[in-house]
């Protein structure tokens, strides 16, 4: 299993390059169809997209072992919420890759009797569950960091003689005065948004992970028929997600840990 994990790690860059090219073809095909390009050119782009998809499935052979190893490591995390989200995410990824391997066997002709539509639906379902767990983990991390940043700001304001409570309680004619309920809510919302922006700006790995998972979410939602986005949106989101994934390989410090 360790050998498979090492091989899988070495093929990640090639797989992600193929993924970026595949979704670029999807986006290009949608643009060509919208602008009335020749049917022959559209067919060639679709064929290239299909070949890239099949090549990606070949490169992902054995990724289930990698996902299972990651799940085994996540079980030992001290934080209960992180342990649950990351472990469940990796287990769903392992099942997703297993279904993907079956699909590859069917499309390559090794197992021609495989019901490709059924296995594709299964794989996208596991993929969706994995992304939901990833986004839940991101939301939890953001909440912790926002609480830490809020506490640090409170300490800094108190140390400099500022009055933090005036924002919430309000003075005469301030947000807390009679008739000032709506401005107070708007002010609190603005402060929360500014705090969120500050947290994400100060933690690029978390920001990249949120954007990447949010982009990826459109793919299984469209494939499962839960929210039809169209090939253009799917292609654009897949391309952005792929570029961010490649970026985390080039700059490992941008990868969210654990």
């Amino acid at each position: 299993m360790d050998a498979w994990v090492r091989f899988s790690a070495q093929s990640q860059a090639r797989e992600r390059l193929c993924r970026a090219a595949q979704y670029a073809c999807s986006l290009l095909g949608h643009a060509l169809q919208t602008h009335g390009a020749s049917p022959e050119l559209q067919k060639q782009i679709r064929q290239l997209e299909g070949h890239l998809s099949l090549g990606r499935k070949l490169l992902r052979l054995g990724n289930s072992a990698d996902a299972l190893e990651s799940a085994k490591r996540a079980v030992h995390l001290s934080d209960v919420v992180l342990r649950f989200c990351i472990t469940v995410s990796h287990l769903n990824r392992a099942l997703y890759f297993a279904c993907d391997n079956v699909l590859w066997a069917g499309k390559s002709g090794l197992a021609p009797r495989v019901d490709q539509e059924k296995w594709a639906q299964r794989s996208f379902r596991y993929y969706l569950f994995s992304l939901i767990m990833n986004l839940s983990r991101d939301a939890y991390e953001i909440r912790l960091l926002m609480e830490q940043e809020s506490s640090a700001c409170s300490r800094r304001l108190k140390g400099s003689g500022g009055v933090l409570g005036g924002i919430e309680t309000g003075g005469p004619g301030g947000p807390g005065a009679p008739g000032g309920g709506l401005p107070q809510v708007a002010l609190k919302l603005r402060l929360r948004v500014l705090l969120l922006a500050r947290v994400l700006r100060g933690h690029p790995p978390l920001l990249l992970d949120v954007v990447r998972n949010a982009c990826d979410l459109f793919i299984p939602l469209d494939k499962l028929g839960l929210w039809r986005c169209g090939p253009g949106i799917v292609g654009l989101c897949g391309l952005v997600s792929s570029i961010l994934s490649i970026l985390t390989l080039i700059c490992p410090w941008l990868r969210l840990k654990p």
Side-chain angles (χ1 to χ4, degrees):
M1 182 173 287
D2 289 341
W4 265 114
V5 170
R6 287 193 296 270
F7 173 79
S8 177
Q10 293 171 359
S11 64
Q12 276 186 10
R14 293 188 292 272
E15 191 274 331
R16 292 182 188 184
L17 285 172
C18 285
R19 187 179 192 265
Q22 177 190 343
Y23 284 111
C25 287
S26 177
L27 183 60
L28 177 60
H30 175 72
L32 291 174
Q33 184 179 9
T34 302
H35 291 87
S38 65
E40 183 63 26
L41 179 58
Q42 295 182 43
K43 181 181 178 182
Q44 290 176 354
I45 295 297
R46 284 195 300 269
Q47 288 177 345
L48 177 59
E49 181 184 355
H51 293 324
L52 288 169
S53 176
L54 190 60
R56 284 182 59 215
K57 294 182 188 305
L58 176 61
L59 291 172
R60 288 200 298 259
L61 289 177
N63 276 16
S64 292
D66 187 18
L68 288 174
E69 286 295 316
S70 299
K72 285 167 60 178
R73 290 192 297 269
V75 169
H76 302 290
L77 291 174
S78 57
D79 190 295
V80 177
V81 177
L82 288 179
R83 181 166 67 238
F84 174 78
C85 291
I86 296 176
T87 303
V88 174
S89 172
H90 285 310
L91 290 176
N92 276 283
R93 282 180 64 245
L95 292 170
Y96 162 69
F97 288 132
C99 294
D100 199 59
N101 294 341
V102 175
L103 274 173
W104 173 81
K107 290 186 176 183
S108 63
L110 295 176
R113 296 185 180 181
V114 168
D115 188 338
Q116 296 186 22
E117 180 63 27
K118 181 179 71 174
W119 282 97
Q121 291 291 305
R122 285 178 179 172
S123 68
F124 283 118
R125 199 174 296 122
Y126 290 127
Y127 185 32
L128 177 61
F129 290 156
S130 176
L131 290 173
I132 290 173
M133 287 294 101
N134 289 342
L135 287 169
S136 300
R137 177 259 183 97
D138 291 338
Y140 177 70
E141 298 257 22
I142 289 172
R143 177 175 170 271
L144 291 180
L145 290 171
M146 288 180 68
E147 289 177 353
Q148 293 173 9
E149 186 67 25
S150 180
S151 299
C153 287
S154 299
R155 289 193 297 270
R156 285 196 296 269
L157 284 172
K158 290 177 181 178
S160 62
V163 182
L164 184 64
I167 295 176
E168 299 184 354
T169 59
L182 188 58
Q184 183 181 9
V185 171
L187 178 59
K188 287 183 178 180
L189 180 60
R190 180 172 177 270
L191 290 174
R192 298 298 290 180
V193 171
L194 289 174
L195 183 60
L196 174 62
R198 182 170 181 169
V199 165
L200 292 176
R201 186 171 63 249
H203 298 82
L206 181 58
L207 175 60
L208 260 66
D209 200 65
V210 171
V211 175
R212 184 167 57 86
N213 287 323
C215 288
D216 280 339
L217 191 64
F218 288 95
I219 299 171
L221 287 176
D222 181 80
K223 299 299 183 180
L224 292 171
L226 300 176
W227 186 18
R228 293 295 184 184
C229 311
I233 298 297
V234 170
L236 177 61
C237 290
L239 180 59
V240 171
S241 170
S242 302
I243 293 173
L244 293 179
S245 296
I246 293 170
L247 189 61
T248 59
L249 286 178
I250 298 173
C251 305
W253 66 273
L254 288 174
R255 182 178 299 176
L256 186 63
K257 298 175 183 179

